[in-house]
Amino acid sequence: MPREEIAQFAIDSVQVLSADETVDEELVPALSDDELLAMYEEMKRSRRLDERAIALQRRGEIGTYAPAIGQEAAQVGSAFATADEDWIVPSFREGPALLVHGVEPHQILWYAMGMEEGAEIPGGEGALPPAIPVGSQPLHAVGVGWGESIQGTSNVAVTYFGDGATSEGDVYEALNFAGVYDAQTVFVCQNNRYAISTRLADQTAAETLAQKAIAAGIEGIRVDGNDVLGVYRVAKEAIEKARDGDPVLIEALTYRRSMHTTSDDPSVYRETAEEDEWEARDPIVRFQVYLRDRGILDDETVAAIDERIEADLAAEIDKAREGAEDVDPADMFRFAYDEMPPSLERQMAAFESGGAPGGETDG
Amino acid sequence: MAEQLRMVEAVRETLRAELDRDDSVVVYGQDVARAGGVFRATEGLLDDYPDRVFDAPVAEAGIVGTGVGLAATGLRPVPEIQFQSFLYQGFQQLAQHVARIRSRTRGTVTCPMTIRTPYGGGIHALELHSESFEAGFAHVPGLKVVVPSSPAETTGLLTTAIRHPDPVVFMEPTRLYRAFREEVPDDHEIPLGEARLATEGDDVTVVAWGSMLRETLDAVEDVDASVEVVDPRTVYPLDTATIVDSVQKTGRCVVVHEAPRTGGMAGEITARVNEEAFLHLEAPVERVTGYDVPVPMFAREDDYVPDTDRIAAGVRRALEF
């Protein structure tokens, strides 16, 4: 048999709202003015939460924090495309997506304050808590999407991870399992160009990250991740496909405008020129111009939204501080097991009675 | 109606009973569905429960990690990891997520998963098919670790494990799968964390589990003393009280396991005996264990795994101290 081509693959890229504000009218999603304004407000709210959180960290009020500044369109646009019953399965930089899904800012701050209270799931379901290991949580999303399928529901799990995570074996296993089990799962890879300091070119030789789907036999698509309308459109279509058991990997091309975490100094590994270039492509600015052009947003509305966000965040920060005063250290024992082993009960009793280390009886 | 079953059949009948009893139970893993498992532990289950028995890709992290999501949707995953040595590839999911999801979400997300996995030596398997890592799993807070030693024990413990709200690593001693038959009662549950006395005696306590329990019972037949053999059944939670009560009676203790000595469960059991029965001890706690080497391939396996001679010698050392 001669050598011949037996398969061909291609990756599409989508953009609705370009950086120079030209609009592909055919691709504009059908969203009401109120929905568009709600998306804008969520993007602004997560931006301001990140800015306030960085300041709180600098003052020592919270611990290490991973801001999503610059990635608001990728997260808000995709999370907006979910239904209330769908699941968000996040990594540690998914504040914007979680806010859209109903998680409140004080919970995000609690998590950053080192309190498990911040990883409790509001309403009991619909999201999993932040995952700290890189790339481990897409497997959980596949389990969720597969579990929904087994139980005959149409709920979808949308999971988020970065470009660096695609180097982890678990991400490939997740894509592969999703294809095998028709798991109702959408993978949102936010290609923000850096895994801490490691550039994409040092992360992979692949031309796109969307093509990682191809080896798993599922659809991969790229979208301009700083274009909230494009992200919404692509995510909406992907989620509807996933409801029918066809998982999709979305690569949202974006840029992490600030640091990896508050412990990181990006000036060590990034050029200012590059940062300036991406500042000009800021997703919130771009969307604001669009909304103004459409007559949906004016100075007065912008001011009203900003005011509402500031008041909301001030109250949420107060709530976070108040909650932090109620931390009961013995909770670390209470939640480790549903049925606490006797030896752990004795350790807890010793702890609560102030037993000196080494002095407790742990039979 | 009680039946005479081998251990591998006890596994299968327990899985069948739990699939039948609870629609949320899902069985999956490599080769478990169409082939019925490499040890035939899941044979026939696909026919009866085609919507809840699945073959899985060869990906242990995937098998363990998807369980977190399945459980989050309200299912009760019962995956099989074909051999325990390959659970190392899923260990990060086990330690980083399965074990922690309950505590880090303060009980709002839980993972009532039972990970079944054959373990241990004695069947002349390939390299990396014979490990005994129970101490490693027991060292991960949030997990419970169960090792049955007979068909009836398997039924009782596996039933409990599947119904249990906490994640359980259920380690099945490969060499006992087809070693003997035993009467297995229907629908019985053995609580986790309760040891049993396999034999009663006054002179020395021997603690052993899984395949080493069988070996120990054979070994002590040749020892001229009254030996009490304790089967903890669960490595974590460990039933310290039963072990300590026994040692307080006998004054001597031997711990037998096939895992390597350093950092093995014998060290933990020795520490607990020291804490609670030190003044009753008439001899140091004796350890009869595997060696601190990678489990050798089968040409040397019989020299690695404790046998009746080594166990009997350990018991005699404790008696003669």
Side-chain angles (χ1 to χ4, degrees):
Chain A
M1 191 172 121
R3 177 170 170 151
E4 58 184 324
E5 186 175 272
I6 57 164
Q8 269 192 321
F9 303 101
I11 295 295
D12 284 351
S13 179
V14 174
Q15 186 181 54
V16 175
L17 183 59
S18 76
D20 64 5
E21 298 298 332
T22 51
V23 180
D24 188 330
E25 294 292 347
E26 276 186 24
L27 292 179
V28 171
L31 288 164
S32 70
D33 290 356
D34 284 347
E35 286 170 321
L36 291 169
L37 282 176
M39 282 169 89
Y40 170 77
E41 182 159 344
E42 285 291 15
M43 288 167 74
K44 286 283 298 228
R45 191 159 72 111
S46 42
R47 174 74 57 95
R48 280 300 291 153
L49 172 60
D50 279 353
E51 289 167 353
R52 303 260 350 231
I54 292 168
L56 290 169
Q57 192 278 334
R58 298 301 186 227
R59 288 208 298 271
E61 287 200 60
I62 67 171
T64 304
Y65 184 85
I69 293 172
Q71 300 178 219
E72 292 89 350
Q75 292 191 32
V76 171
S78 51
F80 245 88
T82 61
D84 288 346
E85 297 75 24
D86 291 332
W87 293 72
I88 300 287
V89 182
S91 83
F92 46 80
R93 198 190 301 288
E94 265 70 76
L98 291 172
L99 288 177
V100 171
H101 211 62
V103 172
E104 294 175 21
H106 71 266
Q107 291 174 290
I108 291 171
L109 293 173
W110 276 343
Y111 189 78
M113 287 169 157
M115 295 162 56
E116 281 78 8
E117 285 82 345
E120 286 183 19
I121 302 308
E125 57 183 337
L128 291 182
I132 297 301
V134 169
S136 58
Q137 77 284 357
L139 278 168
H140 310 156
V142 172
V144 167
W146 179 26
E148 294 285 1
S149 163
I150 290 170
Q151 293 171 89
T153 63
S154 61
N155 303 329
V156 167
V158 179
T159 185
Y160 293 87
F161 51 94
D163 40 306
T166 63
S167 298
E168 292 278 2
D170 280 19
V171 170
Y172 174 70
E173 292 190 25
L175 296 167
N176 190 56
F177 267 72
V180 168
Y181 290 135
D182 302 330
Q184 295 163 191
T185 310
V186 173
F187 303 86
V188 180
C189 173
Q190 295 166 86
N191 177 357
N192 68 14
R193 309 307 176 93
Y194 288 90
I196 307 187
S197 67
T198 304
R199 300 169 306 157
L200 192 67
D202 295 327
Q203 192 71 240
T204 178
E207 192 174 349
T208 70
L209 297 178
Q211 75 200 52
K212 302 262 177 183
I214 291 170
I218 70 172
E219 182 183 337
I221 188 166
R222 179 188 269 184
V223 64
D224 180 343
N226 282 17
D227 162 18
V228 72
L229 296 180
V231 172
Y232 175 84
R233 180 175 188 93
V234 166
K236 191 80 181 169
E237 287 170 2
I239 287 167
E240 293 318 312
K241 283 178 186 168
R243 288 197 201 291
D244 295 329
D246 293 322
V248 180
L249 166 63
I250 298 169
E251 175 188 5
L253 208 54
T254 183
Y255 193 76
R256 185 232 305 147
R257 291 216 19 233
S258 56
M259 63 286 270
H260 166 67
T261 69
T262 45
S263 305
D264 171 47
D265 173 13
S267 71
V268 173
Y269 54 84
R270 287 199 315 212
E271 299 296 330
T272 314
E274 181 186 274
E275 293 178 354
D276 292 346
E277 189 185 322
W278 281 93
E279 186 177 354
R281 298 184 213 169
D282 187 274
I284 298 179
V285 173
R286 191 190 300 186
F287 193 42
Q288 198 185 96
V289 171
Y290 171 81
L291 294 174
R292 282 179 187 274
D293 286 351
R294 293 273 152 147
I296 298 166
L297 195 66
D298 55 24
D299 289 346
E300 202 179 319
T301 318
V302 169
I305 289 171
D306 287 350
E307 205 173 306
R308 192 156 58 229
I309 288 170
E310 292 310 313
D312 170 52
L313 288 182
E316 287 286 319
I317 289 167
D318 285 346
K319 197 168 177 181
R321 287 173 176 144
E322 283 162 22
E325 289 166 12
D326 295 330
V327 168
D328 181 354
D331 280 1
M332 69 181 162
F333 296 97
R334 292 192 183 101
F335 293 106
Y337 292 93
D338 188 279
E339 290 186 15
M340 193 186 291
S343 57
L344 191 56
E345 279 174 13
R346 287 190 285 277
Q347 289 175 21
M348 179 168 157
F351 174 82
E352 289 192 307
S353 67
E360 69 253 36
T361 296
D362 175 40
Chain B
M1 176 108 171
E3 277 187 280
Q4 293 278 332
L5 297 178
R6 294 188 173 100
M7 182 181 275
V8 70
E9 295 160 347
V11 170
R12 183 190 312 144
E13 293 316 309
T14 305
L15 292 173
R16 190 191 306 282
E18 291 308 294
L19 280 161
D20 186 59
R21 188 187 66 82
D22 182 353
D23 287 345
S24 69
V25 172
V26 178
V27 171
Y28 65 105
Q30 275 171 252
D31 305 308
V32 305
R34 290 175 63 195
V38 288
F39 289 103
R40 302 288 176 263
T42 52
E43 197 166 41
L45 299 181
L46 176 67
D47 294 336
D48 294 342
Y49 303 96
D51 300 329
R52 286 188 286 131
V53 177
F54 302 90
D55 281 315
V58 187
E60 290 76 10
I63 289 168
V64 177
T66 50
V68 175
L70 289 169
T73 69
L75 294 173
R76 224 162 244 278
V78 187
E80 175 183 297
I81 297 293
Q82 207 161 65
F83 288 90
Q84 182 244 281
S85 308
F86 303 107
L87 187 44
Y88 299 135
Q89 278 148 297
F91 190 78
Q92 41 98 353
Q93 284 287 341
L94 197 61
Q96 293 180 335
H97 294 291
V98 172
R100 296 173 58 91
I101 191 80
R102 185 174 206 287
S103 60
R104 64 193 299 270
T105 62
R106 295 164 58 86
T108 54
V109 184
T110 61
C111 192
M113 174 158 62
T114 301
I115 299 170
R116 292 182 39 247
T117 187
Y119 87 94
I123 61 160
H124 285 206
L126 286 170
E127 188 182 1
L128 267 170
H129 283 62
S130 309
E131 274 65 15
S132 306
F133 198 58
E134 65 268 26
F137 301 125
H139 195 60
V140 180
L143 300 181
K144 292 179 178 174
V145 184
V146 178
V147 189
S149 58
S150 79
E153 292 285 305
T154 297
T155 307
L157 290 164
L158 184 56
T159 301
T160 308
I162 293 172
R163 298 177 185 179
H164 196 72
D166 296 311
V168 175
V169 178
F170 194 87
M171 299 175 64
E172 298 163 6
T174 318
R175 69 196 283 194
L176 297 188
Y177 265 155
R178 295 174 194 281
F180 62 103
R181 290 180 184 277
E182 183 178 67
E183 191 167 296
V184 172
D186 289 336
D187 195 34
H188 73 130
E189 289 186 71
I190 298 172
L192 306 190
E194 279 189 21
R196 71 181 174 118
L197 300 184
T199 63
E200 292 190 41
D202 299 315
D203 297 336
V204 59
T205 300
V206 185
V207 183
W209 52 90
S211 62
M212 286 297 101
L213 179 78
R214 281 280 287 182
E215 206 69 11
T216 296
L217 292 174
D218 287 347
V220 299
E221 279 182 9
D222 298 332
V223 175
D224 186 22
S226 170
V227 183
E228 183 147 291
V229 177
V230 178
D231 175 6
R233 305 197 279 203
T234 52
V235 169
Y236 190 91
L238 184 67
D239 180 356
T240 315
T242 298
I243 296 169
V244 164
D245 286 351
S246 177
V247 175
Q248 287 181 346
K249 178 175 69 175
T250 63
R252 298 171 197 274
C253 182
V254 180
V255 186
V256 182
H257 60 63
E258 62 177 288
R261 172 166 301 212
T262 299
M265 282 306 296
E268 177 65 29
I269 292 168
T270 302
R272 294 193 189 196
V273 168
N274 280 343
E275 284 164 357
E276 302 214 14
F278 185 69
L279 295 177
H280 296 79
L281 284 174
E282 293 174 41
V285 177
E286 185 73 37
R287 291 185 285 174
V288 180
T289 69
Y291 303 110
D292 290 346
V293 299
V295 178
M297 290 169 67
F298 58 79
R300 296 182 177 83
E301 180 182 45
D302 292 345
D303 298 301
Y304 170 87
V305 179
D307 59 9
T308 51
D309 288 347
R310 279 172 60 193
I311 296 167
V315 173
R316 289 194 190 98
R317 279 197 302 275
L319 285 163
E320 290 161 9
F321 179 80

